[in-house]
């Protein structure tokens, strides 16, 4: 069989992957060594990407402990040290040798020694002269492992592609840098088109604000702004290298200029993406504030009527296997997304307004037009809810049925009073007094802790929900809600 040119270089890349995590004595964790070491490299790479200097050996020990904890693996300090030292150095850590293997070279027709490392010293950030610890960064071999598939690039996103481009510019590899810039522009165009489609979708149906969580995940507006600012800094860092190539030969200098021209187009596209994202965030806010009723429309579609009765019973199925495909999705234990708020509201019954009645309910007709949230009132109302969670571990909305007329008027005075309870119902949340994001449940929790410090005991607790098996209902005037109970996870 003929050996193609380049075999030696290909084998070098494969050997660095093959040897990762090998030779470590981790006891029962030996079978996980490869995955743990790769996750360590991946985490250090992300810190390097974000200019985070916390990449010392001690930092690696902490990262490895966290990885093992996330993987639900039990270990001791000795095992953690073996993982870190076994990724930093070959065999004896005290010798700090590089990894060594022998590979067949098709050019010389002999086996040759190949020595490599997964990490090298980051001299720029080590600050030895100030007594600082050694900071590490990825070698080219480790970077190859990260960049070996486009799937990983997609997972990390735009900032990783930027970082890769910056590394190519620093090393003067203009040809590869131009290709990477083309990838940057292609990625940005995809993101711009996604934002345009998202805008059209939420204008047609505002409820897509809850469904299309894959657009930007759960990031707040401030986090998105900070992300764009960080990406702009990387662009500025790239352009800072322009003047350093003035002394190059004319042909190389022209190649660099073409690359920087393409980079400027990528930066302009990135500015356009930021504009589309911020406009969509503003539109979301406007819809939430001015048209909250658009989220509470009750769907007339149901599985029983539209799928089972009107289609399956009426027309039948081509194969019995089709039935499994339909039913299995309903009982799958894996939930792919968080149920949006309007799904919970779709269970509720909103009746048409009736003429004035003489009974108690007529006094509860309240105008629920948008107004600024009264957080003092929210804290007052939810004090008993969180006190029940603290003392009993649970609170049922049916307990509100015991309220008198004046207390009911307070609960119905603004939508947020009931909405926040439904937010607890729809998705689980871990109470965090230090949270600084936009989650209104955690904002409420912080307010309650300030008013009643004993509630701080719930910090770190996870709140879940369930529906009670009871005939009793929660029905106030035009508001009907199923018997939900929120509770603290044991």
């Amino acid at each position: 069989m003929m050996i193609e040119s380049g075999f030696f270089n290909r084998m070098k890349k494969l050997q660095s992957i093959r040897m990762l995590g090998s030779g470590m004595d981790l006891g029962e964790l030996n079978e996980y060594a490869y995955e743990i070491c790769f996750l360590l490299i991946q985490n250090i790479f992300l810190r390097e990407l974000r200019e985070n200097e916390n990449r010392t050996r001690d930092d690696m020990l902490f990262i490895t402990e966290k990885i093992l904890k996330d993987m639900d693996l039990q270990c001791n300090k000795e095992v953690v040290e073996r993982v870190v030292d076994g990724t930093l150095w070959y065999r004896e850590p005290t010798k700090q040798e590089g990894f060594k293997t022998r590979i067949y070279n098709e050019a010389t027709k002999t086996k040759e020694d190949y020595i490599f490392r997964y990490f090298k010293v980051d001299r720029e950030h080590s600050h030895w002269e100030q007594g600082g610890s050694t900071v590490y960064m990825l070698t080219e071999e480790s970077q190859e492992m990260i960049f070996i598939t486009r799937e990983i690039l997609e997972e990390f996103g735009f900032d990783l592609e930027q970082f890769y481009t910056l590394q190519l510019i620093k090393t003067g590899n203009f040809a590869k840098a131009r290709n990477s810039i083309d990838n940057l522009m292609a990625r940005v165009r995809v993101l711009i088109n996604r934002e345009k489609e998202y805008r059209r979708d939420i204008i047609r149906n505002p409820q897509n604000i809850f469904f299309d969580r894959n657009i930007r995940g759960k990031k707040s507006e401030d986090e998105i702004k900070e992300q764009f600012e960080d990406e702009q800094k990387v662009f500025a860092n790239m352009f800072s290298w322009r003047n350093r190539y003035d002394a190059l030969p004319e042909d190389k200098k022209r190649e660099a200029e073409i690359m920087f021209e393409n980079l400027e187009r990528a930066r302009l596209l990135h500015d356009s993406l930021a504009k589309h994202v911020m406009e969509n965030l503003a539109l979301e806010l406007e819809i939430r504030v001015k048209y909250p009723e658009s989220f509470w429309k009750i769907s007339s579609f149901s599985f029983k009527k539209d799928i089972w009765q009107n289609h399956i019973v009426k027309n039948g199925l081509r194969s019995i296997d089709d039935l499994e495909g339909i039913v299995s999705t309903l009982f799958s234990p894996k939930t792919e997304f968080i149920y949006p708020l309007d799904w919970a509201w779709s269970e509720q019954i909103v009746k048409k307004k009736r003429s004035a009645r003489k009974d108690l309910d007529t006094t509860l007709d309240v105008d629920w037009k948008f107004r600024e949230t009264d957080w003092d009132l929210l804290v007052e109302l939810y004090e008993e809810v969180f006190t029940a969670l603290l003392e009993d571990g649970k609170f049922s909305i049916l307990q509100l049925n015991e309220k008198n007329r004046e207390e009911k008027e307070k609960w119905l005075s603004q939508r947020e009073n009931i909405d926040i309870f439904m937010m607890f119902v729809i998705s689980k949340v871990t109470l965090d007094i230090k949270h600084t994001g936009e989650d209104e449940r955690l904002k409420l929790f912080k307010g309650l802790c300030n008013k009643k410090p004993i509630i701080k005991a719930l910090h770190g607790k996870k709140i879940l929900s369930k529906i009670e098996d009871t005939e009793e209902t929660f029905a106030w005037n035009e508001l009907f809600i199923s018997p939900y109970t929120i509770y603290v996870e044991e």
Side-chain angles (χ1 to χ4, degrees), residues 247-300:
L248 290 173
E250 283 302 317
D251 57 337
K252 279 286 185 181
K253 186 176 179 180
R254 179 55 187 159
E255 190 177 352
E257 283 301 317
I258 293 173
M259 179 199 67
F260 282 113
E261 288 172 6
N262 289 346
L263 187 61
E264 179 61 30
R265 285 194 286 272
R267 178 159 65 176
L268 292 174
L269 270 175
H270 183 264
D271 291 342
S272 177
L273 171 63
K275 178 174 176 289
H276 284 290
V277 170
M278 300 316 296
E279 286 177 350
N280 282 350
L281 286 173
L283 178 60
E284 285 184 11
L285 181 61
E286 181 181 2
I287 292 174
R288 291 174 186 270
V289 170
K290 294 184 178 179
Y291 312 103
E293 69 280 358
S294 61
F295 300 125
W296 303 326
K297 293 179 181 177
I298 300 173
S299 173
S300 59

Side-chain angles (χ1 to χ4, degrees), residues 338 423-430 441 462-465:
I338 297 175
M423 289 170 67
F424 280 110
V425 166
I426 287 167
S427 63
K428 62 184 178 183
V429 64
T430 300
R441 295 170 295 182
K462 188 176 293 184
I463 306 300
L464 296 87
S465 68

Side-chain angles (χ1 to χ4, degrees), residues 19 84-101 114-121 136 139:
M19 294 182 68
V84 173
D85 291 340
T87 312
L88 279 171
W89 305 295
Y90 185 52
R91 293 181 176 170
E92 290 296 327
T94 54
K95 296 182 180 180
Q96 298 191 3
E97 295 178 339
F99 291 80
K100 183 178 180 180
T101 185
Y114 170 52
I115 299 174
F116 68 95
R117 295 179 185 270
Y118 295 106
F119 295 109
K120 62 183 178 180
V121 174
Y136 294 95
T139 60

Side-chain angles (χ1 to χ4, degrees), residues 439-451:
D439 193 317
E440 293 181 332
R441 295 170 295 182
L442 299 180
K443 185 176 179 181
L444 171 63
F445 177 62
K446 290 176 69 175
L448 284 161
C449 290
N450 291 334
K451 180 181 179 182

Side-chain angles (χ1 to χ4, degrees), residues 111-364:
K111 283 263 193 178
E112 294 184 5
D113 288 341
Y114 170 52
I115 299 174
F116 68 95
R117 295 179 185 270
Y118 295 106
F119 295 109
K120 62 183 178 180
V121 174
D122 187 343
R123 298 182 183 277
E124 183 179 350
H125 294 100
S126 290
H127 305 302
W128 291 321
E129 68 281 359
Q130 300 172 13
S133 300
T134 301
V135 175
Y136 294 95
M137 61 190 297
L138 268 65
T139 60
E140 290 185 10
E141 288 81 5
S142 291
Q143 286 190 18
E144 283 284 346
M145 294 171 63
I146 298 295
F147 291 113
I148 201 164
T149 64
R150 299 303 297 177
E151 287 77 11
I152 293 178
L153 284 178
E154 290 292 337
E155 176 188 342
F156 286 142
F158 183 83
D159 53 354
L160 181 62
E161 191 79 52
Q162 267 193 315
F163 179 76
Y164 183 49
T165 306
L166 176 59
Q167 302 308 309
L168 294 172
I169 292 174
K170 284 182 177 181
T171 57
N173 196 336
F174 303 134
K176 279 191 175 181
R178 285 175 62 183
N179 290 333
S180 186
I181 292 169
D182 289 340
N183 290 333
L184 273 178
M185 289 193 287
R187 187 183 298 277
V188 173
R189 288 191 181 100
V190 169
L191 294 175
I192 288 174
N193 289 333
R194 189 182 297 172
E195 290 294 333
K196 288 180 178 178
E197 292 175 3
Y198 177 59
R199 187 178 185 85
R200 288 192 292 267
D201 288 343
I202 62 177
I203 289 175
R204 281 199 306 266
N205 181 8
Q207 295 181 11
N208 283 315
I209 290 175
F210 295 109
F211 284 100
D212 292 347
R213 292 179 178 269
N214 60 323
I215 297 296
R216 283 179 297 276
K218 298 180 181 179
K219 291 183 178 178
S220 67
E221 183 175 345
D222 289 339
E223 289 173 328
I224 292 171
K225 286 180 180 178
E226 184 180 355
Q227 176 185 329
F228 280 128
E229 289 172 0
D230 290 341
E231 290 166 359
Q232 284 292 359
K233 289 177 183 177
V234 179
F235 273 120
N237 198 355
M238 292 179 191
F239 280 106
S240 69
W241 285 79
R242 173 177 266 166
N243 296 334
R244 307 186 191 191
Y245 297 126
D246 288 343
L248 290 173
E250 283 302 317
D251 57 337
K252 279 286 185 181
K253 186 176 179 180
R254 179 55 187 159
E255 190 177 352
E257 283 301 317
I258 293 173
M259 179 199 67
F260 282 113
E261 288 172 6
N262 289 346
L263 187 61
E264 179 61 30
R265 285 194 286 272
R267 178 159 65 176
L268 292 174
L269 270 175
H270 183 264
D271 291 342
S272 177
L273 171 63
K275 178 174 176 289
H276 284 290
V277 170
M278 300 316 296
E279 286 177 350
N280 282 350
L281 286 173
L283 178 60
E284 285 184 11
L285 181 61
E286 181 181 2
I287 292 174
R288 291 174 186 270
V289 170
K290 294 184 178 179
Y291 312 103
E293 69 280 358
S294 61
F295 300 125
W296 303 326
K297 293 179 181 177
I298 300 173
S299 173
S300 59
F301 183 88
S302 72
F303 176 87
K304 179 180 178 181
K305 180 180 65 134
D306 296 275
I307 296 179
W308 183 258
Q309 294 179 348
N310 292 349
H311 182 78
I312 297 178
V313 174
K314 183 178 179 180
N315 302 317
L317 295 170
R318 290 175 298 178
S319 169
I320 191 64
D321 293 334
D322 292 341
L323 181 61
E324 181 183 355
I326 295 171
V327 176
S328 63
T329 57
L330 299 177
F331 299 98
S332 172
K334 183 177 179 182
T335 303
E336 297 293 343
F337 60 95
I338 297 175
Y339 293 102
L341 184 60
D342 60 312
W343 280 37
W345 279 107
S346 67
E347 280 194 5
Q348 320 316 330
I349 300 172
V350 178
K351 305 173 183 177
K352 293 184 178 179
K353 285 191 175 182
R354 301 175 181 175
S355 56
R357 294 161 54 186
K358 295 182 181 180
D359 57 17
L360 171 67
D361 288 342
T362 57
T363 63
L364 300 179

